[in-house]
Amino acid sequence: MTAATNSVTSAATSAATNAATSAATKVRTRFAPSPTGFLHLGGARTALFAWAYARRHGGIFILRVEDTDVERSTPEAVQAIIEGMEWLGLTPDEGPFYQMRRMERYREVVAQMLKDGTAYYCYCTPDEVEAMRERQRAAGDKPRYDGTWRPEPGKTLPAVPEGRKPVVRFRNPQEGDVTWDDAVKGPITISNRELDDLIIARPDGTPTYNFCVVVDDWDMRITHVIRGDDHVNNTPRQINILKALGGELPVYGHLPMIHGPDGEKLSKRHGAVSVMEYPLQGYLPEAMLNYLARLGWSHGDDEIFSMEQFCAWFDLGHLSKSPAQFNPEKLAWLNNHYIRQAEPGRLAALVRPLMEQDGARFDSAPDLDSVLALLKERVKTVNELAEAAMLFYREPAPEPALLSQHLTDAVKPALLAYAAHCMTIDWKKEALAAMLKEVLAAHKLKMPQLAMPLRLMLTGQLQTPSIDAVVELFGRETVSARLARFLG
Ligand code: GLU
């Protein structure tokens, strides 16, 4: 970690080219979560877009943990974020870097800014600043720092109060505008009059949030800042500080929020949960990635695509300006698609522990891969698949009432004939299907009249995939034993 931190630090000196506009410069993006909670859908989508943009341009994707809020940051949250990214395969090329390990660097930059005159000490106490704001509000003005300690040519500053530790403020330009062409929102202009002289270091010397972000983006030579639009208000402040440092501006792109299906802010019930809830519920990472990719970005009408395809397509020009809406049904639909595509062996490894928890025994039962191949068409989640597959791995216990309703004296002779044929028949689905048809014809019965009691005797349920497929999978021995149990 130390080596990595150092290499980032020394990079600062060479950060003077505008990487975003120079074709020769490598794209460098970052995902910069604050580890105050799990990785939720919004964060995962930001990470995905930053990662995909780097992949698209043969660039570098950086993970930076913004852990300076020591009250709210936890190692568990760091772990949860890293796990979430690992599950999705969003592997950083550099990092994780931790802001708490870069304090020395921030102090160094603050010292340099004080020397350069782009920052200054301010000895106002929080109470004084509050009183200042009260006065401004009372006078109908916008509350802001009044520049008491801001050095100006020919201005005499107040005497330094004894024993008082100052904050450091950024000397924000007072005239002109800050303008950037947001990759998502288009051109944005903010007047410098709207911006205060931001505190960049507290009385104890610890740097503040916006300042750390700028130093990091500068040192890490970030070319494209892709982040949620809850940060759009920070951007003009960050741009001014970056300019004061002599850094070139990255491209900024602010992603619109993700709303719930009801159009409201994402709630716990709808996606405001850890992405790691999704594997627990039986979602495959490629379904989640495909889903997130379309959340605020589009490529014509394409809905289903691989990450390889996405990385080849992804651009900032097709990001939507309006909030995206989380649609759990669509996620489930994609999950079904990817479950159908998945290798049976992979699915088996996922369902096996779930089924074992449910009491499944795999010793004499049918081959799990074949069972999954049969069942995977209709399920939305791996958990549903595990549940459906249990059909083949537990002793059937049909409800007596159902059994007597379907296993009537009228159909028993046909079932006995079926059981007898089962002893000798070539155990293939086609042969079994033909045999069942012959038995039906010979006893003048309709399909459900035999299929239903067969289902009940073999699985205990009335809902199963095609009876011939079920019979084939169970195999001769199990089928004969189960029929014998009920038919005597
Ligand atoms: N740490 C910020 C967050 O988690 C992101 C800051 C940024 O991307 O600039 O919301």
Side-chain angles (χ1 to χ4, degrees):
M1 192 62 234
T2 317
T5 311
N6 287 344
S7 86
V8 164
T9 306
S10 59
T13 45
S14 60
T17 47
N18 187 343
T21 52
S22 157
T25 311
K26 216 178 190 147
V27 163
R28 294 174 64 87
T29 63
R30 84 306 195 269
F31 176 51
S34 303
T36 55
F38 40 59
L39 179 67
H40 51 76
L41 289 182
R45 181 190 60 165
T46 304
L48 170 64
F49 286 3
W51 171 85
Y53 195 77
R55 292 285 77 81
R56 161 88 192 260
H57 296 280
I60 297 291
F61 169 62
I62 296 164
L63 173 59
R64 177 168 90 218
V65 179
E66 303 202 322
D67 53 356
T68 54
D69 184 344
V70 285
E71 304 275 295
R72 294 175 61 226
S73 300
T74 65
E76 292 76 25
V78 173
Q79 204 41 44
I81 290 164
I82 289 175
E83 264 174 31
M85 290 175 71
E86 270 172 8
W87 178 61
L88 292 168
L90 304 177
T91 314
D93 303 300
E94 291 180 15
F97 298 112
Y98 294 85
Q99 289 187 324
M100 284 307 282
R101 300 185 197 174
R102 288 177 40 77
M103 287 296 148
E104 220 174 290
R105 170 65 183 154
Y106 305 134
R107 285 178 209 266
E108 183 184 303
V109 179
V110 169
Q112 188 59 45
M113 290 176 76
L114 284 165
K115 222 169 166 187
D116 294 346
T118 51
Y120 61 91
Y121 287 119
C122 163
Y123 291 87
C124 292
T125 62
D127 285 347
E128 284 168 0
V129 172
E130 196 36 53
M132 183 189 301
R133 295 206 166 117
E134 276 307 313
R135 281 197 303 276
Q136 288 162 336
R137 268 187 225 117
D141 295 332
K142 200 177 161 200
R144 55 185 296 121
Y145 177 65
D146 67 0
T148 303
W149 290 92
R150 181 176 165 118
E152 301 290 356
K155 173 176 166 185
T156 312
L157 294 176
V160 171
E162 211 168 308
R164 194 182 290 172
K165 287 216 158 112
V167 299
V168 178
R169 285 186 185 269
F170 171 59
R171 200 166 183 283
N172 197 75
Q174 283 178 326
E175 303 299 324
D177 298 322
V178 189
T179 297
W180 78 97
D181 190 5
D182 196 277
V184 182
K185 295 174 177 294
I188 299 180
T189 298
I190 307 288
S191 164
N192 274 322
R193 292 180 185 286
E194 298 289 315
L195 306 172
D196 237 342
D197 280 1
L198 197 75
I199 295 177
I200 59 173
R202 301 183 184 90
D204 65 0
T206 57
T208 57
Y209 171 74
N210 272 296
F211 178 70
C212 298
V213 171
V214 175
V215 175
D216 287 351
D217 285 343
W218 183 41
D219 282 358
M220 295 173 192
R221 290 167 290 135
I222 301 301
T223 59
H224 295 76
V225 171
I226 299 169
R227 61 183 171 201
D229 70 3
D230 46 335
H231 288 282
V232 74
N233 289 336
N234 292 328
T235 303
R237 303 169 208 285
Q238 294 181 4
I239 287 177
N240 278 343
I241 299 174
L242 191 54
K243 278 186 181 160
L245 291 172
E248 294 289 338
L249 300 187
V251 169
Y252 292 91
H254 291 90
L255 304 170
M257 297 279 105
I258 302 174
H259 286 174
D262 47 8
E264 297 290 314
K265 230 180 134 224
L266 267 190
S267 65
K268 274 247 154 59
R269 217 163 62 79
H270 289 129
V273 294
S274 166
V275 289
M276 292 313 283
E277 278 293 313
Y278 289 91
L280 291 179
Q281 289 173 25
Y283 285 83
L284 297 179
E286 56 267 48
M288 180 55 86
L289 286 164
N290 192 157
Y291 181 72
L292 291 174
R294 282 285 291 104
L295 222 43
W297 176 85
S298 57
H299 183 266
D301 292 332
D302 291 305
E303 290 293 354
I304 295 180
F305 42 80
S306 65
M307 277 305 104
E308 204 180 15
Q309 188 65 78
F310 178 55
C311 290
W313 284 338
F314 183 68
D315 59 349
L316 302 176
H318 286 86
L319 288 169
S320 160
K321 286 187 174 49
S322 40
Q325 226 171 44
F326 177 58
N327 176 347
E329 281 85 43
K330 187 167 161 196
L331 174 59
W333 172 73
L334 281 167
N335 205 43
N336 165 267
H337 169 82
Y338 286 104
I339 287 174
R340 283 190 283 125
Q341 302 279 305
E343 291 294 326
R346 176 180 172 208
L347 292 175
L350 291 170
V351 297
R352 208 174 249 273
L354 298 174
M355 294 176 68
E356 273 162 0
Q357 262 172 35
D358 228 1
R361 291 181 45 230
F362 294 99
D363 34 15
S364 64
D367 167 51
L368 184 58
D369 284 7
S370 315
V371 166
L372 299 183
L374 175 70
L375 297 173
K376 67 183 185 178
E377 296 301 312
R378 346 168 160 204
V379 296
K380 290 195 183 119
T381 64
V382 170
N383 296 25
E384 268 181 44
L385 184 60
E387 210 179 300
M390 283 304 289
L391 194 76
F392 291 93
Y393 300 93
R394 66 178 153 223
E395 278 301 306
E399 275 182 39
L402 271 184
L403 201 58
S404 49
Q405 183 190 334
H406 291 278
L407 187 56
T408 58
D409 288 344
V411 298
K412 262 193 191 150
L415 289 167
L416 284 166
Y418 182 89
H421 287 306
C422 278
M423 299 296 193
T424 54
I425 192 167
D426 181 21
W427 204 262
K428 297 255 163 53
K429 198 166 119 193
E430 298 70 30
L432 287 162
M435 185 269 277
L436 178 56
K437 282 213 180 91
E438 280 164 29
V439 174
L440 287 170
H443 292 80
K444 299 198 169 35
L445 295 171
K446 296 232 159 54
M447 181 62 105
Q449 289 177 286
L450 284 194
M452 289 309 180
L454 279 173
R455 287 190 161 106
L456 281 176
M457 289 185 285
L458 293 174
T459 72
Q461 291 177 206
L462 287 175
Q463 303 264 331
T464 78
S466 113
I467 188 63
D468 303 316
V470 170
V471 168
E472 188 198 21
L473 277 175
F474 270 124
R476 196 189 312 273
E477 221 173 286
T478 306
V479 169
S480 299
R482 291 193 180 175
L483 296 186
R485 182 181 143 199
F486 292 99
L487 296 172

